[in-house]
Amino acid sequence: MTTKPERREPSRIRLPLWSFGLLAVVLLLVLGAAATWLFRTARQMASDWEMIQPEFPDSPAVPTTPAGELPPPLTSGGDSTIPVVAPEEIVRWTGQDRVTLLLLGIDQRCDEEGPTRTDTMMVLTADPVGLSAAALSLPRDLWVDVPGFEVDRINQAHYLGEVHSYPGGGPALAVETVEGTLGIDIDFYLTVNFDAFVELVDLLGGIEVVNDQDIEDDAYPDRCYGYDPFYMPAGEHHLDGQEALKFARTRATPGGDVDRAARQQQVVLAVRDRMLRLNMIPQLLAQAPRLWQTFQRNVRTNMSLEEAIQLALLLQEIPRESIASHVVDYNYVYTETTPDGRQVLVPIRNNIRRLRDQLFLPPAIPTPAIENLPALAAGEGARVAVYNGTSVFGLAGATKTFLEANAVNVTEIGNADSATYRTSQVIDFGSHPFTTRYLTQLMSLPPLSVSNGTTPAGDYDILVILGNDWEMPAP
């Protein structure tokens, strides 16, 4: 393992763990409210919703309802601010490109205010053309580059963004951190807390899960830094909202965070399946105003309401068998202790890249073969510089050796202006079409990775900037 840079002393504020299930259930809230009542109510509150960094307001709690019992629906006569809208006004998702969201969870307890960490992150991606989706859980102790703050645990990104007034706040820095780690683009984020999850599960009458091992958690945290012990034997269980939250939050099994992530994904799918299997969408639509109130208090996002509704309708159309779920587990990380004594999970970058490609990237577009391409490239006589745009030590030198073994004239190596390039780039400062084509072929880069420049910063004709998508071929 390479030597890590000297670290600043991190904040010692301790926040409890929280639920991945809470994260993804926000999408289900939108799904349940994505029709008549929600659409018009949304327009009444659009200005509040579209703030990039709204604070979670301190508003009165919505009256609770016994599990499985829906409250009497609101009617237009009972509240003149909620008019009826025709279903045809709701527009479905029309984009053709893959859409990706980062779901972030925070825990504000005992009326506390101020910056918080995200103890769990999940990346969701949906293909509107192929009608498929995937979810990837990231462990909170993943040791990554946080742009502008060197190497740290991934759950620190939101906290650092809030503390240091990063442009866009904590969610923006968390998005950039995950983008740099995985080498993908993220379109939207959702930041939520516990209450929406508990309320929705109770409105559904609970969910069914299968617990594959006994859980005995004497130190399960309550909402005010005390303890609320949680016990569940192995087997099938019907859970209400609070029980589902505990099932998704506890780490009291041998696999720790990895086991927890798997349970969280099970909870999310259980909520989805119950809503669709029991045809509860019409009942939830009748409660859209109430759900919307919960949503407003407990969610921050950069999505507009129209985008949220359209995306929810898209997700509803994707069959269960077309939803893949994965966890960055011990196949993709190894444990390490930092110089200041913290236990972290170091990414095995090649393994993570392969998982990323499987979940988030479209199939490679074949390009026409050119006979004798290496000789044509050599005839252009281009001088190639290779700069490392990642945090992988020695990657530029290793890439130089690889390219030179394939008759590429590499005249310079160095570091790029940033170590967080998501994708590799090939910049041609002249006209060397065969060399750039040969480079993309050797490095398995898409044609769109090639661009043109005007004035190189050094004595070279083509600059290759290595991103997190670059994986050295096996010998």
Side-chain angles (χ1 to χ4, degrees):
M1 178 179 174
T2 57
T3 301
K4 299 180 178 62
E6 184 177 350
R7 308 251 334 116
R8 64 173 62 86
E9 182 65 21
S11 169
R12 296 298 181 187
I13 298 175
R14 294 183 59 85
L15 293 175
L17 303 172
W18 85 284
S19 167
F20 167 83
L22 169 62
L23 290 173
V25 81
V26 173
L27 291 178
L28 298 174
L29 277 173
V30 181
L31 176 61
T36 306
W37 287 107
L38 175 58
F39 191 81
R40 192 57 69 88
T41 306
R43 289 189 170 181
Q44 296 289 329
M45 303 179 176
S47 60
D48 292 333
W49 170 262
E50 300 207 14
M51 290 190 296
I52 296 299
Q53 283 297 309
E55 294 295 331
F56 291 123
D58 185 15
S59 51
V62 175
T64 59
T65 300
E69 296 182 17
L70 291 171
L74 297 177
T75 63
S76 58
D79 189 341
S80 59
T81 65
I82 309 176
V84 177
V85 63
E88 57 268 21
E89 290 190 36
I90 301 174
V91 180
R92 294 184 178 274
W93 189 270
T94 58
Q96 301 297 304
D97 295 332
R98 177 178 295 275
V99 58
T100 301
L101 304 93
L102 176 62
L103 304 180
L104 304 166
I106 70 167
D107 183 13
Q108 290 176 313
R109 299 166 39 148
C110 297
D111 298 323
E112 289 182 341
E113 297 180 357
T116 55
R117 297 179 181 87
T118 53
D119 286 330
T120 304
M121 294 181 176
M122 180 184 71
V123 185
L124 286 179
T125 184
D127 178 4
V129 176
L131 286 181
S132 63
L136 179 64
S137 298
L138 304 176
R140 63 175 191 160
D141 292 338
L142 197 63
W143 192 243
V144 300
D145 286 293
V146 179
F149 297 93
E150 301 181 345
V151 187
D152 212 326
R153 286 171 169 162
I154 199 168
N155 75 329
Q156 280 283 97
H158 184 274
Y159 175 82
L160 292 171
E162 296 287 289
V163 167
H164 296 280
S165 300
Y166 190 82
L173 185 57
V175 165
E176 290 193 31
T177 301
V178 174
E179 286 181 332
T181 300
L182 297 179
I184 62 174
D185 291 322
I186 293 175
D187 302 294
F188 303 112
Y189 69 79
L190 288 170
T191 303
V192 299
N193 56 25
F194 294 143
D195 296 331
F197 172 74
V198 172
E199 172 124 351
L200 180 62
V201 171
D202 285 340
L203 284 175
L204 292 174
I207 58 173
E208 288 75 36
V209 300
V210 178
N211 182 26
D212 60 2
Q213 56 189 313
D214 293 342
I215 297 175
E216 296 185 8
D217 190 351
D218 294 320
Y220 181 87
D222 64 13
R223 295 299 295 269
C224 271
Y225 296 102
Y227 297 105
D228 183 14
F230 173 58
Y231 307 101
M232 178 182 288
E236 297 183 4
H237 297 273
H238 181 88
L239 308 180
D240 63 21
Q242 289 291 345
E243 292 168 338
L245 184 63
K246 291 180 178 181
F247 179 71
R249 290 182 65 204
T250 182
R251 291 198 304 164
T253 52
D257 276 335
V258 172
D259 287 351
R260 182 178 68 154
R263 286 192 299 272
Q264 291 163 352
Q265 292 185 355
Q266 184 184 168
V267 166
V268 171
L269 293 175
V271 170
R272 175 191 180 275
D273 292 345
R274 185 165 180 83
M275 291 176 66
L276 299 181
R277 183 176 67 249
L278 300 183
N279 193 28
M280 298 192 72
I281 299 298
Q283 299 177 65
L284 291 174
L285 291 179
Q287 305 312 311
R290 171 181 174 162
L291 293 177
W292 173 247
Q293 291 171 3
T294 297
F295 203 51
Q296 284 287 92
R297 287 195 309 275
N298 301 313
V299 177
R300 292 192 294 176
T301 184
N302 61 342
M303 281 193 295
S304 70
L305 283 171
E306 286 78 7
E307 288 168 334
I309 294 171
Q310 293 168 13
L311 182 57
L313 293 175
L314 168 64
L315 294 176
Q316 184 183 18
E317 295 175 2
I318 296 176
R320 172 65 183 86
E321 60 272 14
S322 297
I323 302 175
S325 58
H326 291 270
V327 177
V328 175
D329 58 20
Y330 294 105
N331 293 311
Y332 307 99
V333 298
Y334 63 90
T335 59
E336 188 60 83
T337 303
T338 66
D340 57 0
R342 290 184 291 169
Q343 297 294 317
V344 299
L345 299 175
V346 179
I348 304 174
R349 293 184 180 275
N350 288 345
N351 293 359
I352 289 180
R353 288 190 190 102
R354 282 190 282 270
L355 178 61
R356 182 274 317 274
D357 292 348
Q358 174 187 343
L359 296 179
F360 296 94
L361 299 185
I365 301 175
T367 55
I370 297 179
E371 255 186 78
N372 205 22
L373 182 58
L376 292 171
E380 292 178 336
R383 299 162 299 172
V384 178
V386 177
Y387 284 4
N388 188 359
T390 78
S391 60
V392 180
F393 180 78
L395 187 60
T399 303
K400 176 179 185 291
T401 301
F402 165 72
L403 293 176
E404 287 179 336
N406 288 276
V408 176
N409 180 27
V410 180
T411 58
E412 179 181 338
I413 63 173
N415 292 320
D417 57 344
S418 169
T420 57
Y421 276 84
R422 297 190 295 275
T423 57
S424 299
Q425 301 179 18
V426 178
I427 306 172
D428 188 356
F429 294 94
S431 180
H432 309 90
F434 295 121
T435 306
T436 55
R437 173 69 68 85
Y438 188 39
L439 286 168
T440 59
Q441 184 182 92
L442 285 172
M443 301 177 69
S444 300
L445 301 177
L448 290 177
S449 64
V450 179
S451 62
N452 293 314
T454 54
T455 306
D459 193 21
Y460 51 79
D461 303 305
I462 296 174
L463 173 61
V464 176
I465 300 178
L466 305 176
N468 280 307
D469 60 341
W470 167 234
E471 178 181 347
M472 285 288 298

